[in-house]
Amino acid sequence: MLSTVPLLAAVSISVVPFDGTNEVRLKQGFSDINIVKNVRVRVTSTDASRYQVFQRVMEPLVNEKGEVGDLSGLQTITEYNSNTGGTLYLQSAEPLSMADQLLYTSGTSGDSDSFAVAYSTMSQKRNAGGNFRSNILYFVRSNDGAQSQQMLNLFLESQRSALSAEVRGLKADSRIIVKDSDSDLQAADGVRISFTGGTGNNVRIYQEVAVIPQNQQAEELKAGVLKFVASGNEELISGMMTQGIVRNSQRDMIFSGRVSQGELDIKFMPVLENILEQNAGTYTGQLKYTVESDSNRQEFSVYVEFQMQPVFTIEASMPPEGVSFKNVSVTNQPEDHEISVAVKTNLHKPYSVTQAMLAPLTNEKGNQLDNNHFLIKVVLPQGQKGKTKFTEFSPLAVGEYPIYVSDGQGSPAAFKVQYRLESYSQMNAGNFLAPMRFSLDQN
């Protein structure tokens, strides 16, 4: 009895770059011009069996520093009409992949054929700098189970671009002007930092006070008086320090990230709760900005001017009609009223708060209250540096007299003034009103 052993169909593949080498070598620069490399894929088939041709990147792109490159920056496409039969795939450019990419399917008769595949780089998909390498596997597989493969080396030379930066004032090229009244972020002054060519580098932007602002008396602007708020395009947000206090002793990293270009604004405003610690005057100094990458570094200086106007004001939370007591009678319990007084000043000179009781406490019929039963007390918060002699309830007489005296440095102050009305046997009933006035005087 005669038996036969079926033979697998013979199919083989060969891949030859157009430049005669055994590799696909690409360069990734920073222009919009793509450098194209082509290879010719040839399949020899000796049996009538349909087959398909695939390519696959075998391992990640890695440079000499061990950094992994981005395959999406490399494109591949089959060249139209480069075959004689069958069907070409990848007719539109796609990124190279570590997954199987179908390049070609033969006709049903499985005839031998050849076709061209092109490779190029995308300038907008930039890798870190260096020399990257991997391998591309080409393989053919027939319906009969026959297969063949060939490997080519893949090289990518990716250049780091030279970082170029610019720092300019938002309102004047090289000067920032901050006023103590600045409260609108949209109108605030600051700097704009622009940079390009950061691809392949970790771009870092630093801000520091190079010269501490001083006034004409050589007094320095205190730490904590100025704050900054940073904003930028969407690519920068994740690596940005969006706000902070301007510090005199060290630099702050405003941004760090691997981006090709960007633009951010840094605006400056006063810290309202701290500005009264600063003497009035115009303070001038200098900020330094450093924009650096792994390959180069640029520094910029910007003058900063902070204008602090003299402040010497008093605020009292007193109703327009003054201190009033309603429906008073001899049977009433003592009734208290309280007002808040705040002094804002940056003159740093001693002062006093004076209260003027312009007329006796009277009711709607003109009956006067015995002043011995109309009392005042001043309550200072813990840590208040000034002093008062009205630490306990004391009779309040018509006239002007100081109720609070600041410390020797004229520190700002906030305190409570309490008024008490006591009933007595000969007291007239009614609604009592006392006009009050507060004034602020330097000592």
Side-chain angles (χ1 to χ4, degrees):
M1 182 176 180
L2 180 64
S3 63
T4 61
V5 178
L7 298 176
L8 292 178
V11 62
S12 64
I13 189 172
S14 67
V15 185
V16 179
F18 280 21
D19 59 10
T21 65
N22 64 348
E23 63 189 25
V24 176
R25 183 175 291 272
L26 300 169
K27 289 186 178 182
Q28 192 171 43
F30 300 97
S31 67
D32 293 329
I33 300 176
N34 292 334
I35 300 175
V36 179
K37 294 291 183 180
N38 302 79
V39 301
R40 170 67 64 178
V41 179
R42 186 177 302 278
V43 177
T44 302
S45 175
T46 59
D47 197 3
S49 180
R50 172 173 282 180
Y51 59 84
Q52 291 184 310
V53 180
F54 301 84
Q55 70 177 7
R56 180 173 72 239
V57 177
M58 294 299 293
E59 55 193 20
L61 278 172
V62 179
N63 69 5
E64 62 272 20
K65 295 182 179 180
E67 297 171 319
V68 177
D70 185 2
L71 275 176
S72 66
L74 307 183
Q75 287 189 319
T76 180
I77 187 172
T78 56
E79 293 191 5
Y80 178 71
N81 272 348
S82 61
N83 58 317
T84 57
T87 302
L88 282 175
Y89 294 84
L90 279 183
Q91 289 288 278
S92 297
E94 293 184 12
L96 271 173
S97 174
M98 294 181 67
D100 290 351
Q101 292 179 300
L102 177 62
L103 302 177
Y104 173 84
T105 297
S106 73
T108 56
S109 59
D111 295 333
S112 300
D113 202 353
S114 69
F115 56 91
V117 184
Y119 303 91
S120 63
T121 59
M122 297 175 62
S123 60
Q124 65 268 33
K125 294 282 190 179
R126 298 173 180 172
N127 287 282
N131 297 310
F132 294 83
R133 63 179 301 162
S134 184
N135 298 288
I136 303 176
L137 175 68
Y138 303 86
F139 59 96
V140 58
R141 184 185 300 131
S142 76
N143 289 351
D144 286 346
Q147 57 184 349
S148 175
Q149 65 183 36
Q150 183 178 335
M151 190 99 69
L152 290 183
N153 293 323
L154 172 63
F155 292 99
L156 171 65
E157 181 183 340
S158 182
Q159 302 171 352
R160 280 192 170 95
S161 62
L163 182 69
S164 175
E166 180 183 51
V167 177
R168 299 170 62 91
L170 291 175
K171 298 182 179 180
D173 283 351
S174 59
R175 180 176 294 274
I176 306 164
I177 297 178
V178 186
K179 299 178 181 178
D180 59 354
S181 58
D182 287 344
S183 58
D184 183 0
L185 180 61
Q186 295 299 320
D189 200 4
V191 297
R192 174 163 294 166
I193 303 174
S194 306
F195 64 90
T196 58
T199 302
N201 296 290
N202 183 23
V203 177
R204 298 171 294 277
I205 300 176
Y206 297 94
Q207 171 183 279
E208 62 183 304
V209 178
V211 178
I212 298 176
Q214 295 183 342
N215 63 11
Q216 291 179 334
Q217 288 74 43
E219 296 172 328
E220 292 185 348
L221 190 67
K222 297 179 181 179
V225 172
L226 292 183
K227 65 180 179 181
F228 66 88
V229 179
S231 60
N233 54 292
E234 187 175 348
E235 285 186 321
L236 305 184
I237 296 298
S238 61
M240 187 186 305
M241 182 178 182
T242 56
Q243 59 184 337
I245 300 296
V246 178
R247 300 184 289 179
N248 293 341
S249 58
Q250 63 187 87
R251 68 178 185 170
D252 291 304
M253 181 183 286
I254 305 298
F255 172 78
S256 176
R258 195 178 293 276
V259 293
S260 60
Q261 59 184 2
E263 182 176 271
L264 59 91
D265 290 348
I266 304 175
K267 294 188 174 182
F268 297 88
M269 301 175 68
V271 181
L272 297 180
E273 59 268 31
N274 294 339
I275 59 175
L276 290 180
E277 298 295 324
Q278 196 69 46
N279 288 337
T282 299
Y283 295 78
T284 56
Q286 194 175 60
L287 296 175
K288 183 171 78 172
Y289 290 92
T290 303
V291 184
E292 67 179 23
S293 66
D294 300 334
S295 56
N296 64 331
R297 169 192 181 103
Q298 293 177 263
E299 294 183 349
F300 304 86
S301 294
V302 180
Y303 291 100
V304 60
E305 179 179 301
F306 178 62
Q307 299 175 356
M308 184 69 201
Q309 300 299 320
V311 177
F312 192 57
T313 62
I314 184 171
E315 298 176 358
S317 61
M318 186 169 60
E321 68 273 13
V323 178
S324 62
F325 298 86
K326 308 292 186 180
N327 302 317
V328 175
S329 70
V330 295
T331 61
N332 286 6
Q333 294 295 318
E335 182 179 347
D336 292 345
H337 284 272
E338 181 180 270
I339 67 173
S340 299
V341 177
V343 177
K344 297 180 179 180
T345 177
N346 62 0
L347 302 182
H348 298 282
K349 296 179 180 179
Y351 63 87
S352 59
V353 176
T354 299
Q355 175 188 270
M357 184 174 176
L358 305 179
L361 194 67
T362 58
N363 65 9
E364 63 271 27
K365 295 180 180 180
N367 302 127
Q368 293 186 12
L369 185 80
D370 185 345
N371 286 340
N372 290 322
H373 297 277
F374 184 40
L375 312 176
I376 183 174
K377 178 182 178 181
V378 177
V379 181
L380 303 182
Q382 186 175 4
Q384 185 77 59
K385 297 178 181 179
K387 59 184 179 180
T388 180
K389 65 179 181 180
F390 296 98
T391 57
E392 301 294 338
F393 278 109
S394 306
L396 184 60
V398 175
E400 293 188 31
Y401 36 84
I403 61 171
Y404 175 81
V405 178
S406 74
D407 61 356
Q409 288 73 45
S411 302
F415 53 88
K416 307 289 186 181
V417 181
Q418 297 177 346
Y419 299 95
R420 173 171 291 179
L421 177 61
E422 298 177 334
S423 59
Y424 55 97
S425 58
Q426 293 80 29
M427 180 180 182
N428 293 292
N431 301 316
F432 286 84
L433 175 67
M436 297 289 184
R437 184 181 67 202
F438 293 90
S439 61
L440 189 59
D441 303 291
Q442 287 190 354
N443 295 344

